[in-house]
Amino acid sequence: MKNRFLISMLSALFMAGLMSACDLFDKADDISFTTDLKKSVDVNEGRTDTNIDYTEDFTIDFSSDPEADKYKDKLNNVVLNKITYKISNFDGAAGTMFSGNLSFAAATANTFNIAVALEDVDLKMRSESGEEAELSLSQTDINTITSLLKNDKAIKVLMTGVLSQGPVSFTLEVKANVKITADAL
């Protein structure tokens, strides 16, 4: 009877060890890296008015980075570090401003639940500086966007607002800096 009990206990310990070893082996082939998922859009407003309403939507997905795209179907985790925007290739009058929002949603959604205000962005100054500006996101916003990137492999971005004057053209680049963990095999 004691032998049966001892054999049962050893079998249970062996199975528990085997299960945790499988988990270790499963994680041993994981790969982690940080990258930028990005999208550039050309804004061309030919109207010569002032206070011009402007709307542009686009999608940021894993295809903008070949390494990220390679692992998008093997994701274990995605962590959003930050979202930035940059203005370049400005052509227009000095002092042209943009005020509005960058909003985020699921790639297939039409309702944008996350909106970040961009107030009085001097387009020429931003373009000449070449600097990226980081969006101010709450932890809830970061968690929501992280979930969208992990589950949908994409986020939809909507730029809405007012250009102070036209004509104007520039390139807007939006980057989502993310840490990706995926199965390597």
Side-chain angles (χ1 to χ4, degrees):
M1 196 64 138
K2 286 183 182 182
N3 286 341
R4 268 187 138 161
F5 178 74
L6 185 58
I7 290 172
S8 295
M9 288 300 290
L10 288 175
S11 295
L13 286 172
F14 177 74
M15 289 303 290
L18 187 59
M19 295 294 252
S20 62
C22 288
D23 191 40
L24 287 173
F25 285 122
D26 185 43
K27 291 182 182 184
D29 71 341
D30 286 357
I31 184 170
S32 288
F33 59 96
T34 300
T35 191
D36 291 321
L37 306 178
K38 57 189 169 186
K39 179 72 174 188
S40 293
V41 293
D42 293 322
V43 175
N44 293 300
E45 181 51 66
R47 291 182 279 178
T48 57
D49 300 347
T50 59
N51 298 322
I52 303 166
D53 290 331
Y54 189 84
T55 300
E56 180 86 36
D57 69 81
F58 51 93
T59 302
I60 296 174
D61 61 27
F62 281 68
S63 67
S64 68
D65 179 270
E67 192 73 4
D69 197 41
K70 184 167 108 176
Y71 291 106
K72 73 181 177 189
D73 295 325
K74 301 175 183 182
L75 293 177
N76 291 333
N77 198 25
V78 175
V79 176
L80 176 67
N81 296 319
K82 63 182 176 179
I83 295 181
T84 60
Y85 75 93
K86 182 171 127 177
I87 305 293
S88 60
N89 304 319
F90 175 80
D91 185 23
T96 302
M97 308 292 265
F98 175 81
S99 291
N101 292 311
L102 281 179
S103 302
F104 302 90
T108 57
N110 291 321
T111 303
F112 292 82
N113 297 326
I114 299 169
V116 179
L118 301 177
E119 297 295 329
D120 298 325
V121 177
D122 186 320
L123 298 171
K124 183 176 182 178
M125 185 180 78
R126 280 265 175 220
S127 180
E128 288 175 351
S129 76
E131 293 178 15
E132 292 182 2
E134 186 173 342
L135 298 180
S136 179
L137 297 166
S138 70
Q139 190 58 52
T140 301
D141 295 343
I142 290 170
N143 293 344
T144 301
I145 294 170
T146 294
S147 178
L148 294 173
L149 287 170
K150 183 176 179 185
N151 297 326
D152 298 346
K153 316 306 188 270
I155 52 173
K156 188 186 272 187
V157 182
L158 176 67
M159 175 185 169
T160 57
V162 176
L163 294 162
S164 64
Q165 59 186 319
V168 64
S169 65
F170 59 92
T171 301
L172 169 72
E173 180 182 70
V174 179
K175 287 184 190 177
N177 180 268
V178 295
K179 180 178 180 187
I180 295 171
T181 306
D183 287 329
L185 301 176

